[in-house]
Short mmCIF file of all heavy atoms in Angstrom, two decimals:
data_model
loop_
_atom_site.label_atom_id
_atom_site.label_comp_id
_atom_site.label_asym_id
_atom_site.label_seq_id
_atom_site.Cartn_x
_atom_site.Cartn_y
_atom_site.Cartn_z
N MET A 151 -158.80 212.54 220.73
CA MET A 151 -160.25 212.53 220.86
C MET A 151 -160.65 212.63 222.34
O MET A 151 -161.77 212.93 222.65
CB MET A 151 -160.78 211.24 220.24
CG MET A 151 -162.20 211.30 219.84
SD MET A 151 -162.40 212.45 218.51
CE MET A 151 -164.12 212.69 218.54
N ASP A 152 -159.72 212.34 223.23
CA ASP A 152 -160.02 212.36 224.65
C ASP A 152 -159.86 213.79 225.17
O ASP A 152 -158.75 214.30 225.30
CB ASP A 152 -159.08 211.42 225.41
CG ASP A 152 -159.44 211.30 226.87
OD1 ASP A 152 -160.45 211.88 227.29
OD2 ASP A 152 -158.70 210.62 227.59
N LEU A 153 -160.97 214.43 225.46
CA LEU A 153 -160.94 215.83 225.89
C LEU A 153 -161.18 215.97 227.40
O LEU A 153 -161.56 217.02 227.88
CB LEU A 153 -162.01 216.63 225.14
CG LEU A 153 -161.89 216.57 223.62
CD1 LEU A 153 -163.03 217.31 222.97
CD2 LEU A 153 -160.56 217.14 223.15
N THR A 154 -160.94 214.90 228.16
CA THR A 154 -161.13 214.95 229.60
C THR A 154 -159.83 215.30 230.30
O THR A 154 -158.77 215.35 229.70
CB THR A 154 -161.63 213.60 230.14
OG1 THR A 154 -160.57 212.66 230.02
CG2 THR A 154 -162.87 213.13 229.39
N THR A 155 -159.93 215.48 231.61
CA THR A 155 -158.74 215.71 232.42
C THR A 155 -158.33 214.42 233.12
O THR A 155 -157.68 214.45 234.16
CB THR A 155 -158.99 216.83 233.46
OG1 THR A 155 -160.09 216.43 234.26
CG2 THR A 155 -159.21 218.15 232.79
N LEU A 156 -158.70 213.30 232.55
CA LEU A 156 -158.35 211.99 233.12
C LEU A 156 -156.85 211.91 233.34
O LEU A 156 -156.07 212.22 232.46
CB LEU A 156 -158.83 210.88 232.19
CG LEU A 156 -158.70 209.46 232.72
CD1 LEU A 156 -159.51 209.31 234.00
CD2 LEU A 156 -159.18 208.48 231.69
N GLY A 157 -156.47 211.44 234.48
CA GLY A 157 -155.06 211.35 234.81
C GLY A 157 -154.56 212.51 235.64
O GLY A 157 -153.39 212.59 235.99
N ALA A 158 -155.45 213.44 235.93
CA ALA A 158 -155.05 214.62 236.70
C ALA A 158 -155.81 214.68 238.01
O ALA A 158 -157.02 214.83 238.03
CB ALA A 158 -155.33 215.89 235.90
N GLY A 159 -155.10 214.50 239.12
CA GLY A 159 -155.66 214.71 240.45
C GLY A 159 -156.91 213.93 240.76
O GLY A 159 -156.97 212.71 240.62
N ASP A 160 -157.95 214.62 241.22
CA ASP A 160 -159.19 214.01 241.67
C ASP A 160 -159.88 213.22 240.58
O ASP A 160 -160.52 212.20 240.83
CB ASP A 160 -160.16 215.06 242.21
CG ASP A 160 -159.62 215.73 243.47
OD1 ASP A 160 -158.82 215.08 244.18
OD2 ASP A 160 -160.01 216.88 243.74
N VAL A 161 -159.78 213.68 239.34
CA VAL A 161 -160.43 212.97 238.23
C VAL A 161 -159.83 211.58 238.08
O VAL A 161 -160.56 210.61 237.87
CB VAL A 161 -160.32 213.78 236.93
CG1 VAL A 161 -160.87 213.01 235.76
CG2 VAL A 161 -161.02 215.12 237.07
N ARG A 162 -158.52 211.49 238.20
CA ARG A 162 -157.87 210.19 238.07
C ARG A 162 -158.32 209.23 239.17
O ARG A 162 -158.64 208.08 238.89
CB ARG A 162 -156.35 210.37 238.14
CG ARG A 162 -155.61 209.07 238.03
CD ARG A 162 -154.13 209.29 238.07
NE ARG A 162 -153.44 208.03 237.95
CZ ARG A 162 -152.15 207.92 237.94
NH1 ARG A 162 -151.39 208.99 238.01
NH2 ARG A 162 -151.57 206.74 237.84
N GLU A 163 -158.37 209.72 240.37
CA GLU A 163 -158.79 208.89 241.51
C GLU A 163 -160.24 208.41 241.31
O GLU A 163 -160.54 207.25 241.52
CB GLU A 163 -158.68 209.68 242.81
CG GLU A 163 -159.07 208.87 244.03
CD GLU A 163 -159.03 209.70 245.30
OE1 GLU A 163 -158.21 210.63 245.41
OE2 GLU A 163 -159.84 209.39 246.19
N ALA A 164 -161.11 209.30 240.90
CA ALA A 164 -162.51 208.94 240.66
C ALA A 164 -162.61 207.91 239.54
O ALA A 164 -163.39 206.95 239.63
CB ALA A 164 -163.33 210.17 240.32
N HIS A 165 -161.83 208.07 238.49
CA HIS A 165 -161.87 207.12 237.38
C HIS A 165 -161.33 205.76 237.81
O HIS A 165 -161.88 204.73 237.42
CB HIS A 165 -161.08 207.66 236.19
CG HIS A 165 -161.23 206.81 234.97
ND1 HIS A 165 -162.40 206.75 234.25
CD2 HIS A 165 -160.37 205.97 234.36
CE1 HIS A 165 -162.26 205.90 233.25
NE2 HIS A 165 -161.03 205.43 233.29
N GLU A 166 -160.29 205.75 238.60
CA GLU A 166 -159.75 204.47 239.09
C GLU A 166 -160.77 203.75 239.95
O GLU A 166 -160.92 202.53 239.86
CB GLU A 166 -158.46 204.72 239.86
CG GLU A 166 -157.30 205.09 238.95
CD GLU A 166 -156.06 205.53 239.70
OE1 GLU A 166 -156.14 205.73 240.94
OE2 GLU A 166 -155.02 205.69 239.05
N ARG A 167 -161.50 204.51 240.78
CA ARG A 167 -162.57 203.88 241.59
C ARG A 167 -163.66 203.34 240.68
O ARG A 167 -164.19 202.25 240.90
CB ARG A 167 -163.16 204.91 242.57
CG ARG A 167 -162.25 205.21 243.74
CD ARG A 167 -162.98 205.96 244.87
NE ARG A 167 -163.91 206.96 244.42
CZ ARG A 167 -163.63 208.25 244.32
NH1 ARG A 167 -162.43 208.72 244.63
NH2 ARG A 167 -164.54 209.12 243.91
N PHE A 168 -164.02 204.09 239.63
CA PHE A 168 -165.04 203.64 238.68
C PHE A 168 -164.59 202.36 237.97
O PHE A 168 -165.35 201.41 237.86
CB PHE A 168 -165.30 204.75 237.64
CG PHE A 168 -166.19 204.30 236.52
CD1 PHE A 168 -167.56 204.18 236.71
CD2 PHE A 168 -165.65 204.01 235.28
CE1 PHE A 168 -168.38 203.77 235.66
CE2 PHE A 168 -166.47 203.60 234.24
CZ PHE A 168 -167.84 203.47 234.44
N GLU A 169 -163.34 202.34 237.52
CA GLU A 169 -162.83 201.13 236.85
C GLU A 169 -162.82 199.93 237.79
O GLU A 169 -163.14 198.81 237.38
CB GLU A 169 -161.43 201.38 236.28
CG GLU A 169 -161.44 202.26 235.04
CD GLU A 169 -160.04 202.45 234.49
OE1 GLU A 169 -159.07 202.50 235.28
OE2 GLU A 169 -159.93 202.57 233.26
N ALA A 170 -162.44 200.13 239.03
CA ALA A 170 -162.45 199.04 240.01
C ALA A 170 -163.85 198.53 240.26
O ALA A 170 -164.08 197.33 240.34
CB ALA A 170 -161.82 199.52 241.33
N MET A 171 -164.82 199.44 240.33
CA MET A 171 -166.21 199.03 240.52
C MET A 171 -166.70 198.24 239.32
O MET A 171 -167.34 197.19 239.47
CB MET A 171 -167.11 200.25 240.72
CG MET A 171 -168.58 199.90 240.90
SD MET A 171 -169.68 201.31 240.80
CE MET A 171 -169.54 201.76 239.09
N GLN A 172 -166.38 198.70 238.10
CA GLN A 172 -166.79 198.00 236.89
C GLN A 172 -166.18 196.60 236.84
O GLN A 172 -166.84 195.63 236.47
CB GLN A 172 -166.41 198.79 235.64
CG GLN A 172 -167.21 200.05 235.44
CD GLN A 172 -168.67 199.76 235.19
OE1 GLN A 172 -169.03 198.90 234.41
NE2 GLN A 172 -169.54 200.46 235.89
N ALA A 173 -164.90 196.48 237.19
CA ALA A 173 -164.23 195.19 237.18
C ALA A 173 -164.91 194.24 238.18
O ALA A 173 -165.12 193.05 237.91
CB ALA A 173 -162.76 195.35 237.52
N HIS A 174 -165.28 194.79 239.34
CA HIS A 174 -165.97 193.98 240.36
C HIS A 174 -167.36 193.55 239.86
O HIS A 174 -167.73 192.39 239.97
CB HIS A 174 -166.08 194.77 241.65
CG HIS A 174 -166.83 194.05 242.73
ND1 HIS A 174 -166.28 192.99 243.41
CD2 HIS A 174 -168.07 194.22 243.23
CE1 HIS A 174 -167.16 192.54 244.29
NE2 HIS A 174 -168.25 193.28 244.20
N LEU A 175 -168.11 194.48 239.31
CA LEU A 175 -169.47 194.17 238.82
C LEU A 175 -169.45 193.16 237.69
O LEU A 175 -170.33 192.31 237.59
CB LEU A 175 -170.18 195.44 238.37
CG LEU A 175 -170.60 196.42 239.44
CD1 LEU A 175 -171.14 197.70 238.82
CD2 LEU A 175 -171.62 195.80 240.38
N ASN A 176 -168.48 193.28 236.80
CA ASN A 176 -168.42 192.40 235.61
C ASN A 176 -167.56 191.17 235.85
O ASN A 176 -167.35 190.39 234.94
CB ASN A 176 -167.91 193.20 234.42
CG ASN A 176 -168.88 194.26 234.01
OD1 ASN A 176 -170.09 194.02 233.91
ND2 ASN A 176 -168.39 195.47 233.78
N ASP A 177 -167.05 191.01 237.07
CA ASP A 177 -166.25 189.85 237.45
C ASP A 177 -165.07 189.65 236.49
O ASP A 177 -164.76 188.54 236.10
CB ASP A 177 -167.11 188.61 237.51
CG ASP A 177 -166.48 187.48 238.31
OD1 ASP A 177 -165.62 187.78 239.17
OD2 ASP A 177 -166.81 186.31 238.06
N GLY A 178 -164.45 190.77 236.06
CA GLY A 178 -163.29 190.69 235.19
C GLY A 178 -163.61 190.45 233.72
O GLY A 178 -162.71 190.42 232.89
N ASP A 179 -164.87 190.25 233.40
CA ASP A 179 -165.28 190.02 232.01
C ASP A 179 -165.65 191.35 231.36
O ASP A 179 -165.71 192.39 232.04
CB ASP A 179 -166.50 189.09 231.99
CG ASP A 179 -166.72 188.39 230.66
OD1 ASP A 179 -165.91 188.61 229.73
OD2 ASP A 179 -167.71 187.64 230.54
N GLN A 180 -165.90 191.32 230.08
CA GLN A 180 -166.35 192.54 229.39
C GLN A 180 -167.75 192.90 229.88
O GLN A 180 -168.52 192.01 230.28
CB GLN A 180 -166.44 192.32 227.89
CG GLN A 180 -165.10 192.23 227.19
CD GLN A 180 -165.29 192.12 225.68
OE1 GLN A 180 -166.16 191.39 225.23
NE2 GLN A 180 -164.48 192.83 224.95
N PRO A 181 -168.12 194.17 229.82
CA PRO A 181 -169.49 194.57 230.18
C PRO A 181 -170.49 193.89 229.25
O PRO A 181 -170.17 193.55 228.10
CB PRO A 181 -169.51 196.08 229.97
CG PRO A 181 -168.08 196.50 229.90
CD PRO A 181 -167.30 195.31 229.45
N PRO A 182 -171.72 193.67 229.71
CA PRO A 182 -172.74 193.04 228.88
C PRO A 182 -172.92 193.71 227.53
O PRO A 182 -173.13 193.02 226.51
CB PRO A 182 -174.02 193.14 229.73
CG PRO A 182 -173.54 193.22 231.14
CD PRO A 182 -172.23 193.97 231.06
N SER A 183 -172.84 195.03 227.47
CA SER A 183 -173.03 195.73 226.20
C SER A 183 -171.93 195.35 225.20
O SER A 183 -172.22 195.15 224.01
CB SER A 183 -173.03 197.25 226.41
OG SER A 183 -171.82 197.66 227.03
N GLU A 184 -170.71 195.18 225.67
CA GLU A 184 -169.61 194.79 224.76
C GLU A 184 -169.76 193.35 224.33
O GLU A 184 -169.45 193.01 223.18
CB GLU A 184 -168.24 195.02 225.43
CG GLU A 184 -167.89 196.47 225.59
CD GLU A 184 -167.82 197.22 224.27
OE1 GLU A 184 -167.31 196.65 223.27
OE2 GLU A 184 -168.28 198.36 224.22
N ARG A 185 -170.23 192.48 225.22
CA ARG A 185 -170.46 191.08 224.85
C ARG A 185 -171.54 190.99 223.80
O ARG A 185 -171.47 190.18 222.87
CB ARG A 185 -170.80 190.26 226.08
CG ARG A 185 -169.63 190.13 227.05
CD ARG A 185 -169.86 189.08 228.11
NE ARG A 185 -171.08 189.20 228.86
CZ ARG A 185 -171.17 189.69 230.09
NH1 ARG A 185 -170.11 190.13 230.70
NH2 ARG A 185 -172.31 189.74 230.71
N LEU A 186 -172.57 191.81 223.93
CA LEU A 186 -173.65 191.83 222.95
C LEU A 186 -173.15 192.28 221.58
O LEU A 186 -173.49 191.67 220.56
CB LEU A 186 -174.79 192.76 223.42
CG LEU A 186 -175.97 192.89 222.47
CD1 LEU A 186 -176.70 191.56 222.38
CD2 LEU A 186 -176.90 193.99 222.92
N MET A 187 -172.31 193.32 221.54
CA MET A 187 -171.75 193.78 220.27
C MET A 187 -170.88 192.70 219.64
O MET A 187 -170.93 192.48 218.43
CB MET A 187 -170.92 195.04 220.47
CG MET A 187 -171.70 196.24 220.94
SD MET A 187 -172.93 196.70 219.74
CE MET A 187 -174.25 197.13 220.83
N ALA A 188 -170.07 192.01 220.44
CA ALA A 188 -169.23 190.93 219.92
C ALA A 188 -170.08 189.80 219.36
O ALA A 188 -169.78 189.23 218.31
CB ALA A 188 -168.30 190.41 221.01
N ARG A 189 -171.16 189.49 220.06
CA ARG A 189 -172.06 188.42 219.58
C ARG A 189 -172.72 188.83 218.25
O ARG A 189 -172.86 188.01 217.34
CB ARG A 189 -173.12 188.14 220.63
CG ARG A 189 -174.01 186.98 220.29
CD ARG A 189 -174.91 186.62 221.42
NE ARG A 189 -175.81 185.56 221.02
CZ ARG A 189 -176.92 185.26 221.63
NH1 ARG A 189 -177.27 185.95 222.70
NH2 ARG A 189 -177.69 184.30 221.21
N HIS A 190 -173.12 190.07 218.15
CA HIS A 190 -173.72 190.56 216.89
C HIS A 190 -172.71 190.43 215.75
O HIS A 190 -173.07 189.95 214.66
CB HIS A 190 -174.17 192.02 217.05
CG HIS A 190 -174.87 192.53 215.86
ND1 HIS A 190 -174.21 193.02 214.75
CD2 HIS A 190 -176.19 192.64 215.56
CE1 HIS A 190 -175.09 193.41 213.85
NE2 HIS A 190 -176.30 193.18 214.31
N ARG A 191 -171.46 190.85 215.98
CA ARG A 191 -170.44 190.72 214.93
C ARG A 191 -170.24 189.27 214.54
O ARG A 191 -170.08 188.95 213.37
CB ARG A 191 -169.12 191.34 215.41
CG ARG A 191 -169.10 192.84 215.35
CD ARG A 191 -167.70 193.42 215.60
NE ARG A 191 -167.17 193.14 216.92
CZ ARG A 191 -167.43 193.89 218.00
NH1 ARG A 191 -168.19 194.96 217.91
NH2 ARG A 191 -166.90 193.57 219.16
N GLN A 192 -170.27 188.38 215.52
CA GLN A 192 -170.09 186.96 215.28
C GLN A 192 -171.25 186.40 214.45
O GLN A 192 -171.04 185.64 213.51
CB GLN A 192 -170.00 186.25 216.61
CG GLN A 192 -169.34 184.91 216.58
CD GLN A 192 -169.16 184.39 218.01
OE1 GLN A 192 -170.01 184.60 218.90
NE2 GLN A 192 -168.07 183.71 218.25
N MET A 193 -172.46 186.79 214.79
CA MET A 193 -173.65 186.25 214.11
C MET A 193 -173.84 186.81 212.71
O MET A 193 -174.23 186.09 211.79
CB MET A 193 -174.91 186.55 214.94
CG MET A 193 -175.00 185.76 216.23
SD MET A 193 -176.42 186.24 217.24
CE MET A 193 -177.77 185.66 216.23
N PHE A 194 -173.59 188.13 212.54
CA PHE A 194 -173.91 188.78 211.27
C PHE A 194 -172.69 189.20 210.47
O PHE A 194 -172.82 189.66 209.33
CB PHE A 194 -174.80 190.00 211.54
CG PHE A 194 -176.11 189.65 212.17
CD1 PHE A 194 -176.31 189.85 213.52
CD2 PHE A 194 -177.13 189.08 211.43
CE1 PHE A 194 -177.51 189.49 214.13
CE2 PHE A 194 -178.34 188.73 212.01
CZ PHE A 194 -178.53 188.95 213.37
N GLY A 195 -171.49 189.09 211.06
CA GLY A 195 -170.27 189.41 210.34
C GLY A 195 -170.05 190.88 210.08
O GLY A 195 -169.29 191.26 209.20
N ARG A 196 -170.74 191.72 210.82
CA ARG A 196 -170.57 193.17 210.65
C ARG A 196 -170.82 193.88 211.98
O ARG A 196 -171.35 193.31 212.92
CB ARG A 196 -171.49 193.73 209.58
CG ARG A 196 -172.97 193.53 209.86
CD ARG A 196 -173.85 194.06 208.71
NE ARG A 196 -175.21 193.65 208.88
CZ ARG A 196 -176.10 194.22 209.69
NH1 ARG A 196 -175.74 195.25 210.42
NH2 ARG A 196 -177.32 193.78 209.77
N GLU A 197 -170.44 195.14 212.00
CA GLU A 197 -170.60 195.96 213.19
C GLU A 197 -172.08 196.30 213.41
O GLU A 197 -172.83 196.46 212.44
CB GLU A 197 -169.78 197.26 213.02
CG GLU A 197 -169.75 198.16 214.21
CD GLU A 197 -168.96 197.56 215.37
OE1 GLU A 197 -168.07 196.75 215.18
OE2 GLU A 197 -169.30 197.92 216.52
N TYR A 198 -172.47 196.40 214.65
CA TYR A 198 -173.86 196.74 215.01
C TYR A 198 -174.17 198.18 214.67
O TYR A 198 -175.24 198.50 214.17
CB TYR A 198 -174.06 196.49 216.51
CG TYR A 198 -175.40 196.92 217.05
CD1 TYR A 198 -176.52 196.12 216.85
CD2 TYR A 198 -175.54 198.11 217.75
CE1 TYR A 198 -177.75 196.50 217.35
CE2 TYR A 198 -176.76 198.50 218.26
CZ TYR A 198 -177.87 197.70 218.05
OH TYR A 198 -179.07 198.08 218.54
N ARG A 199 -173.20 199.06 214.93
CA ARG A 199 -173.40 200.49 214.68
C ARG A 199 -173.17 200.82 213.21
O ARG A 199 -172.26 200.29 212.59
CB ARG A 199 -172.43 201.30 215.53
CG ARG A 199 -172.56 201.00 217.01
CD ARG A 199 -171.37 201.62 217.78
NE ARG A 199 -171.29 201.07 219.10
CZ ARG A 199 -170.46 200.11 219.47
NH1 ARG A 199 -169.62 199.61 218.61
NH2 ARG A 199 -170.47 199.66 220.70
N LEU A 200 -173.96 201.69 212.67
CA LEU A 200 -173.81 202.10 211.29
C LEU A 200 -173.07 203.41 211.20
O LEU A 200 -173.26 204.29 212.06
CB LEU A 200 -175.18 202.26 210.62
CG LEU A 200 -176.03 201.00 210.51
CD1 LEU A 200 -177.38 201.34 209.90
CD2 LEU A 200 -175.34 199.95 209.66
N GLU A 201 -172.27 203.59 210.20
CA GLU A 201 -171.56 204.84 209.94
C GLU A 201 -172.18 205.47 208.70
O GLU A 201 -171.61 205.42 207.61
CB GLU A 201 -170.07 204.60 209.79
CG GLU A 201 -169.43 204.11 211.07
CD GLU A 201 -167.92 203.88 210.93
OE1 GLU A 201 -167.44 203.63 209.81
OE2 GLU A 201 -167.25 203.94 211.95
N THR A 202 -173.33 206.08 208.87
CA THR A 202 -174.07 206.63 207.72
C THR A 202 -173.49 207.94 207.20
O THR A 202 -173.75 208.32 206.07
CB THR A 202 -175.54 206.87 208.09
OG1 THR A 202 -175.60 207.79 209.18
CG2 THR A 202 -176.22 205.56 208.49
N GLU A 203 -172.67 208.59 208.02
CA GLU A 203 -172.08 209.88 207.61
C GLU A 203 -170.60 209.74 207.28
O GLU A 203 -169.86 210.70 207.34
CB GLU A 203 -172.27 210.92 208.72
CG GLU A 203 -173.72 211.13 209.14
CD GLU A 203 -174.58 211.69 208.04
OE1 GLU A 203 -174.08 212.55 207.27
OE2 GLU A 203 -175.74 211.26 207.94
N GLY A 204 -170.15 208.54 206.97
CA GLY A 204 -168.74 208.30 206.69
C GLY A 204 -168.03 207.77 207.90
O GLY A 204 -168.62 207.58 208.96
N GLU A 205 -166.73 207.54 207.75
CA GLU A 205 -165.94 207.00 208.84
C GLU A 205 -165.86 207.97 210.01
O GLU A 205 -165.85 209.17 209.83
CB GLU A 205 -164.53 206.70 208.36
CG GLU A 205 -164.41 205.48 207.49
CD GLU A 205 -162.96 205.12 207.21
OE1 GLU A 205 -162.10 206.02 207.19
OE2 GLU A 205 -162.70 203.93 207.04
N HIS A 206 -165.76 207.41 211.20
CA HIS A 206 -165.55 208.21 212.40
C HIS A 206 -164.17 208.86 212.30
O HIS A 206 -163.23 208.22 211.81
CB HIS A 206 -165.63 207.32 213.65
CG HIS A 206 -165.80 208.08 214.90
ND1 HIS A 206 -164.76 208.76 215.49
CD2 HIS A 206 -166.88 208.29 215.70
CE1 HIS A 206 -165.17 209.33 216.59
NE2 HIS A 206 -166.46 209.07 216.75
N PRO A 207 -164.01 210.10 212.72
CA PRO A 207 -162.71 210.76 212.61
C PRO A 207 -161.61 210.12 213.43
O PRO A 207 -160.43 210.24 213.09
CB PRO A 207 -162.97 212.20 213.05
CG PRO A 207 -164.28 212.17 213.75
CD PRO A 207 -165.03 210.97 213.26
N ALA A 208 -161.95 209.42 214.50
CA ALA A 208 -160.95 208.76 215.33
C ALA A 208 -160.80 207.31 214.86
O ALA A 208 -161.78 206.55 214.92
CB ALA A 208 -161.35 208.80 216.80
N PRO A 209 -159.63 206.88 214.42
CA PRO A 209 -159.46 205.51 213.91
C PRO A 209 -159.91 204.44 214.90
O PRO A 209 -160.47 203.43 214.49
CB PRO A 209 -157.95 205.42 213.67
CG PRO A 209 -157.52 206.83 213.38
CD PRO A 209 -158.40 207.68 214.29
N SER A 210 -159.72 204.67 216.21
CA SER A 210 -160.09 203.65 217.20
C SER A 210 -161.61 203.49 217.31
O SER A 210 -162.08 202.51 217.86
CB SER A 210 -159.50 204.01 218.56
OG SER A 210 -160.06 205.22 219.03
N ARG A 211 -162.37 204.44 216.80
CA ARG A 211 -163.83 204.39 216.89
C ARG A 211 -164.50 203.97 215.61
O ARG A 211 -165.71 203.92 215.52
CB ARG A 211 -164.37 205.79 217.29
CG ARG A 211 -163.78 206.35 218.53
CD ARG A 211 -164.55 205.91 219.71
NE ARG A 211 -163.96 206.45 220.92
CZ ARG A 211 -164.66 206.76 221.96
NH1 ARG A 211 -165.95 206.64 221.96
NH2 ARG A 211 -164.06 207.21 223.02
N ARG A 212 -163.71 203.66 214.57
CA ARG A 212 -164.28 203.29 213.29
C ARG A 212 -164.83 201.88 213.31
O ARG A 212 -164.48 201.06 214.15
CB ARG A 212 -163.23 203.41 212.19
CG ARG A 212 -162.87 204.86 211.95
CD ARG A 212 -161.85 204.99 210.87
NE ARG A 212 -161.45 206.40 210.77
CZ ARG A 212 -160.31 206.81 210.29
NH1 ARG A 212 -159.44 205.95 209.83
NH2 ARG A 212 -160.06 208.10 210.26
N SER A 213 -165.71 201.58 212.36
CA SER A 213 -166.31 200.27 212.23
C SER A 213 -165.24 199.21 212.06
O SER A 213 -164.22 199.43 211.43
CB SER A 213 -167.25 200.27 211.00
OG SER A 213 -167.81 199.00 210.84
N ARG A 214 -165.49 198.04 212.62
CA ARG A 214 -164.54 196.94 212.53
C ARG A 214 -164.87 195.98 211.42
O ARG A 214 -164.41 194.85 211.41
CB ARG A 214 -164.52 196.19 213.87
CG ARG A 214 -164.06 197.07 215.01
CD ARG A 214 -164.11 196.29 216.31
NE ARG A 214 -163.96 197.23 217.41
CZ ARG A 214 -164.62 197.14 218.54
NH1 ARG A 214 -165.45 196.16 218.75
NH2 ARG A 214 -164.44 198.04 219.49
N ASP A 215 -165.70 196.35 210.50
CA ASP A 215 -166.10 195.47 209.39
C ASP A 215 -164.92 195.16 208.50
O ASP A 215 -164.06 195.90 208.26
CB ASP A 215 -167.20 196.11 208.55
CG ASP A 215 -168.52 196.17 209.31
OD1 ASP A 215 -168.62 195.52 210.37
OD2 ASP A 215 -169.44 196.85 208.84
#
């Protein structure tokens, strides 16, 4: 599912800088959006996102219900 050139030359360096910045901004914790999704699953027992057209073709992106 990953159609990027991540891991190749300049793209890899830019992504590593981006990941380092995110780790610094989030102080090693998950991003606020991921914490919100986890809280929603905890409160309601289901995924926040709906799969109205069937399962996502990539197993890693499917609902966690």
Side-chain angles (χ1 to χ4, degrees):
M151 202 66 195
D152 186 3
L153 304 176
T154 68
T155 57
L156 187 59
D160 294 334
V161 175
R162 179 179 180 179
E163 182 184 329
H165 187 71
E166 288 171 351
R167 286 194 320 264
F168 172 77
E169 286 182 327
M171 179 192 68
Q172 290 296 314
H174 178 74
L175 289 173
N176 294 314
D177 198 25
D179 201 1
Q180 288 184 318
S183 58
E184 290 300 320
R185 293 193 306 258
L186 179 66
M187 295 298 141
R189 185 172 176 199
H190 184 277
R191 283 190 296 275
Q192 201 173 36
M193 290 175 68
F194 298 103
R196 60 182 169 80
E197 186 68 27
Y198 175 79
R199 303 168 194 101
L200 297 177
E201 293 180 335
T202 59
E203 303 297 322
E205 285 188 331
H206 195 284
S210 64
R211 305 272 179 147
R212 291 181 185 155
S213 178
R214 298 178 193 141
D215 291 348

